[in-house]
Amino acid sequence: MSRSRAGACSAALFSTALALCLAGAATARADDTGSLGADRIAQRSHDALLGARSLHVTAQGVPGSGAGTSFDLTLDRSGNCRGSVSLGPQGSVEIIRRGTDVWIKPNAAFWKNEVPGGGSALASLVGDRYLKGTTDDPVLRNTTDVCDLDTFQKYLDTSAKLPAATLTKGRPATVDGVAVIPVTATRQGRSYTLDVAATGTPYPVRFTVAKGGAAPEATVRFDGFDQPVPAATPAAADAVDISGLMGRQS
């Protein structure tokens, strides 16, 4: 499996979402979030995200990556993860990771479109089971890169900076039952809005990308901060070990 678009598209949207948090440069203080200016709210959200030990993130739409791209992942800094990534008509894949152990379950379209050469052969051997291996296996590594929160946080803190733009603080609102303060940046005709929790830890709650006055073309939601990743893994009978599988193909 070459550089998987499942991982690449998920990383792209996740990093774009939180890049807005990196725009602020002010030092956060213990004020109520709602009393702060836009730059400080963004900085607080950035700091809160980088301090999280785990989270649940869902996303729908990735500008420039095709219709139907989405993901739903619960992940932590220890390399534990559970969820799914969809590339629309190109296919989808379920992902489970516990440390260095990995299970993936692609659908037929994913096998066909995202596994160059041998995809159909692998699909027939695996059937309706998970493909099991480790993060050392190149076939699985790229697909499961998206499942490491520590990797994401390091990337966001060093590389995912968008060009400087003026941030605007919006009126208090409620998103998914959470009181938030929206912070918006506008670039090349698109509005990037980050909704930050107004009380308690100023975690990001929702991020949207919209062009003009149209409906959002991308939406990311965050919750479940510092909650454990579900620990259940597939039974041995429901998985095929990739090492044995490759031996049968060679």
Side-chain angles (χ1 to χ4, degrees), residues 24-71:
T27 301
R29 299 188 309 182
D31 305 300
D32 178 73
T33 300
S35 69
L36 302 176
D39 286 347
R40 290 190 177 185
I41 292 173
Q43 180 65 38
R44 280 187 136 194
S45 186
H46 159 248
D47 293 344
L49 178 81
L50 293 187
R53 303 206 62 82
S54 64
L55 59 82
H56 173 234
V57 55
T58 63
Q60 181 66 51
V62 179
S65 295
T69 302
S70 63
F71 62 85

Side-chain angles (χ1 to χ4, degrees), residues 3 36 49 67 70 77 89 96 100 115 125 134 163 165 182 198 208 229 243:
R3 176 61 173 139
L36 302 176
L49 178 81
S70 63
R77 287 185 179 181
I96 298 173
T100 59
V115 185
L125 291 170
T134 72
T208 58
V229 176
S243 59

Side-chain angles (χ1 to χ4, degrees), residues 6-237:
C9 289
S10 300
L13 184 51
F14 196 16
S15 61
T16 299
L18 276 304
L20 182 57
C21 297
L22 300 173
T27 301
R29 299 188 309 182
D31 305 300
D32 178 73
T33 300
S35 69
L36 302 176
D39 286 347
R40 290 190 177 185
I41 292 173
Q43 180 65 38
R44 280 187 136 194
S45 186
H46 159 248
D47 293 344
L49 178 81
L50 293 187
R53 303 206 62 82
S54 64
L55 59 82
H56 173 234
V57 55
T58 63
Q60 181 66 51
V62 179
S65 295
T69 302
S70 63
F71 62 85
D72 184 333
L73 298 169
T74 301
L75 60 163
D76 66 20
R77 287 185 179 181
S78 299
N80 301 315
C81 174
R82 190 179 190 98
S84 62
V85 176
S86 172
L87 302 178
Q90 294 298 108
S92 63
V93 58
E94 296 178 39
I95 303 172
I96 298 173
R97 178 175 167 180
R98 298 299 298 178
T100 59
D101 291 325
V102 175
W103 295 259
I104 67 169
K105 190 176 185 180
N107 67 2
F110 190 95
W111 281 119
K112 177 182 178 181
N113 297 307
E114 299 300 319
V115 185
S120 58
L122 281 172
S124 64
L125 291 170
V126 176
D128 190 32
R129 294 176 291 179
Y130 288 86
L131 185 61
K132 182 183 184 299
T134 72
T135 52
D136 292 329
D137 194 301
V139 175
L140 301 177
R141 184 184 306 122
N142 289 327
T143 299
T144 57
D145 277 350
V146 68
C147 270
D148 189 336
L149 180 59
D150 189 50
T151 297
F152 264 125
Q153 289 172 321
K154 288 177 180 177
Y155 173 75
L156 292 169
D157 204 31
T158 59
S159 304
K161 292 181 173 64
L162 294 176
T166 300
L167 299 181
T168 302
K169 176 182 175 181
R171 295 182 178 180
T174 301
V175 172
D176 299 333
V178 178
V180 300
I181 304 295
V183 175
T184 300
T186 301
R187 299 182 183 90
Q188 298 180 339
R190 282 188 169 89
S191 295
Y192 300 79
T193 299
L194 182 71
D195 296 304
V196 179
T199 59
T201 304
Y203 288 124
V205 175
R206 183 182 65 179
F207 173 81
T208 58
V209 181
K211 189 171 184 179
E217 57 186 356
T219 300
V220 186
R221 286 180 163 85
F222 302 90
D223 59 28
F225 289 96
D226 296 330
Q227 298 299 306
V229 176
T233 58

